[in-house]
Amino acid sequence: MKRKVINSARVPIYRESGFELYDAETTANAFKSESLNEREPDIYIYSRYRNPTVISAEEEIMKLEKCRWSILTQSGMSAIDTAVSLFQNGSQTKPWLFFTEIYGGTISYSEIVLKKRRGLDIQTFSPVNGRYDLTEFEVLMKALKPEFVYIETISNPLLIVVNVPKVAEIAKRYGSRVIVDNTFATPKLFRPLEHGADIVVHSATKYFAGHGNITAGVISGNDKGLMKSAIEYRKSVGHLISPDDAYRLQTQIMSFDLRFSRQCENAARIALMLNRYKTVARVYFPGLVQHETYQEAKEIFGNNGYGAMITFDLAGKDPVEKRKRRDLFIKNVSEKIMLIPTLGDPHTILMPVESVWGAKYPEPGMIRLSVGFEEYNELESTIMTALAKGD
Ligand code: PLP
């Protein structure tokens, strides 16, 4: 017997892989409308194509992004793969330009997949002394005229802020599209689509899901042609998020604003506290005036906050002493602050920078904190006590 609950307050988890199409005519119409309809089909066919629970979660993200389309994928990496693949047209004539301070997984993807396997021309642009020089960027753009420029609003782990509106303005002058990974900033701080970006990607695993229990990604945009093509690519390669994860996401995203506001507040206070501490050699937080991109952060984030990530470097007379202090700190906070290689979780978590990035960031005392939304005083006392023990 079939039962349909028509007064469910939310779109439930539709786990079926295929939907009932009744007869030959309905089937023919469904397939016809599937190829014509860019967003919500009249009738669902197969869950790798589209799924009602997924569409419902996408609508929640579109409210945050204030955009026309958001497309959910299984991971941040599959969102990135979808975004860049939109610009691959058989015989590539223009290079693709990636800023170098981006997520390590994206760098590996560009080298292993884009360069090595797909044989694409990938160019890079690096910051000098902690910030991107946009005059130099313009010189490079003039020479390369790339198909697109790929940037992250806030980088990892040095938290370099990119002046996205200026980058987009320059990119447009040379006919290039702009893809922005806005995972660290989130739409709460800044919405790149309103400032010249063509496509925004997020690892929804992080602040959107916010509880460390989902791996997901999303690509958002306002250009119908591009986003239709994103749906087509996602369907062809099978990048669609599972209905279960989409359901969790649509529920958890309702508290995004509350969670992220609190995380940003906690982070700003912790950064100030660390900045005053004698055994901390340097704090990297874009909300501190000493950060190389404080001006960029102020300009593009306004009063919205500076994100919830902090990197700090423990002092020491040599690398051996620095590592000793770092290891002691990690041990002393481990009851409350776990070493977990992700970010955006409810609780504050940490990563030793040298263990992940090796020689790229050569300060062995560096620790990256993803600040959580726990009660502030307890968090401060955990960190202060651990620092004091390491003196
Ligand atoms: N973009 C950024 C900025 C990230 O930090 C990550 C993962 O840490 C990703 C993309 C990839 O996301 P996922 O792990 O969900 O595939």
Side-chain angles (χ1 to χ4, degrees):
M1 188 181 159
K2 290 186 184 175
R3 287 181 199 278
K4 285 190 180 151
V5 178
I6 54 164
N7 61 337
S8 168
R10 284 195 202 141
V11 176
I13 309 176
Y14 285 96
R15 282 207 181 96
E16 52 263 64
S17 29
F19 294 84
E20 188 178 4
L21 294 176
Y22 311 111
D23 54 39
E25 196 190 341
T26 315
T27 308
N29 287 337
F31 275 86
K32 207 161 95 198
S33 82
E34 159 67 25
S35 57
L36 292 176
N37 220 317
E38 69 276 359
R39 240 203 95 67
E40 186 148 16
D42 299 330
I43 187 157
Y44 292 87
I45 301 173
Y46 188 60
S47 270
R48 175 166 53 75
Y49 301 2
R50 271 173 254 230
N51 174 286
T53 315
V54 172
I55 287 188
S56 166
E58 287 170 347
E59 277 162 0
E60 291 300 324
I61 295 177
M62 281 155 56
K63 284 186 216 156
L64 289 177
E65 295 281 22
K66 300 195 195 307
C67 71
R68 291 174 68 197
W69 283 278
S70 288
I71 313 284
L72 275 166
T73 61
Q74 291 160 343
S75 63
M77 287 320 301
S78 50
I80 292 166
D81 177 56
T82 304
V84 303
S85 298
L86 300 182
F87 300 98
Q88 194 179 354
N89 296 311
S91 54
Q92 184 199 27
T93 50
K94 294 175 170 183
W96 294 355
L97 181 62
F98 285 74
F99 279 33
T100 51
E101 291 296 307
I102 53 173
Y103 171 56
T106 311
I107 296 175
S108 308
Y109 166 80
S110 76
E111 278 163 7
I112 297 166
V113 179
L114 303 182
K115 269 202 225 168
K116 199 170 122 195
R117 292 180 200 280
R118 299 193 193 167
L120 300 170
D121 179 2
I122 304 300
Q123 302 288 331
T124 54
F125 181 62
S126 305
V128 178
N129 300 328
R131 55 192 297 278
Y132 289 100
D133 180 334
L134 296 189
T135 311
E136 285 303 311
F137 172 62
E138 176 134 26
V139 172
L140 188 65
M141 290 298 290
K142 207 169 173 176
L144 292 178
K145 298 195 180 56
E147 183 73 46
F148 67 76
V149 179
Y150 185 99
I151 53 183
E152 284 183 14
T153 315
I154 306 180
S155 81
N156 181 19
L158 300 183
L159 310 171
I160 297 172
V161 176
V162 174
N163 192 326
V164 178
K166 286 213 174 110
V167 165
E169 192 191 309
I170 297 168
K172 298 287 127 123
R173 271 210 284 282
Y174 298 94
S176 302
R177 302 280 202 151
V178 177
I179 304 175
V180 182
D181 181 333
N182 201 39
T183 302
F184 277 38
T186 82
K188 173 88 184 154
L189 298 193
F190 180 70
R191 287 188 296 276
L193 291 174
E194 293 171 8
H195 300 273
D198 297 286
I199 285 185
V200 167
V201 294
H202 277 96
S203 166
T205 312
K206 311 293 170 12
Y207 295 108
F208 283 177
H211 293 74
N213 59 353
I214 301 172
T215 300
V218 62
I219 105 168
S220 299
N222 291 319
D223 182 314
K224 188 169 170 179
L226 280 181
M227 296 313 281
K228 254 185 109 159
S229 160
I231 292 172
E232 181 188 76
Y233 183 85
R234 178 183 67 175
K235 172 182 161 185
S236 306
V237 297
H239 274 343
L240 198 109
I241 188 175
S242 76
D244 287 69
D245 282 346
Y247 186 83
R248 280 191 205 104
L249 193 55
Q250 78 162 352
T251 314
Q252 290 166 202
I253 208 157
M254 291 176 196
S255 59
F256 161 75
D257 195 273
L258 275 175
R259 287 187 273 105
F260 192 63
S261 301
R262 172 72 171 255
Q263 283 166 318
C264 289
E265 266 170 45
N266 280 355
R269 295 176 73 183
I270 293 291
L272 280 175
M273 187 267 290
L274 287 171
N275 206 30
R276 286 194 295 264
Y277 208 84
K278 56 187 181 305
T279 53
V280 175
R282 164 93 206 251
V283 180
Y284 296 80
F285 182 70
L288 292 177
V289 276
Q290 84 234 21
H291 194 279
E292 288 84 350
T293 59
Y294 172 68
Q295 286 308 332
E296 281 86 343
K298 238 175 52 168
E299 190 177 326
I300 74 166
F301 302 149
N303 294 324
N304 298 340
Y306 296 92
M309 301 297 293
I310 303 171
T311 297
F312 64 100
D313 182 26
L314 287 164
K317 63 179 184 311
D318 54 28
V320 177
E321 191 177 278
K322 282 180 153 233
R323 285 191 191 105
K324 216 168 122 193
R325 247 197 198 122
R326 173 198 68 192
D327 296 344
L328 202 60
F329 179 86
I330 294 172
K331 184 164 165 272
N332 286 334
V333 295
S334 61
E335 284 281 302
K336 301 270 172 61
I337 301 179
M338 284 188 268
L339 193 165
I340 304 181
T342 184
L343 58 109
D345 275 16
H347 293 102
T348 301
I349 52 179
L350 63 76
M351 284 297 288
V353 170
E354 188 185 38
S355 316
V356 181
W357 285 275
K360 189 169 178 190
Y361 305 105
E363 291 299 344
M366 269 189 175
I367 292 176
R368 187 192 77 178
L369 287 180
S370 159
V371 179
F373 51 82
E374 59 266 73
E375 200 271 319
Y376 179 76
N377 291 335
E378 197 185 322
L379 177 61
E380 180 180 292
S381 112
T382 304
I383 294 174
M384 288 293 274
T385 311
L387 285 173
K389 280 190 191 164
D391 277 356

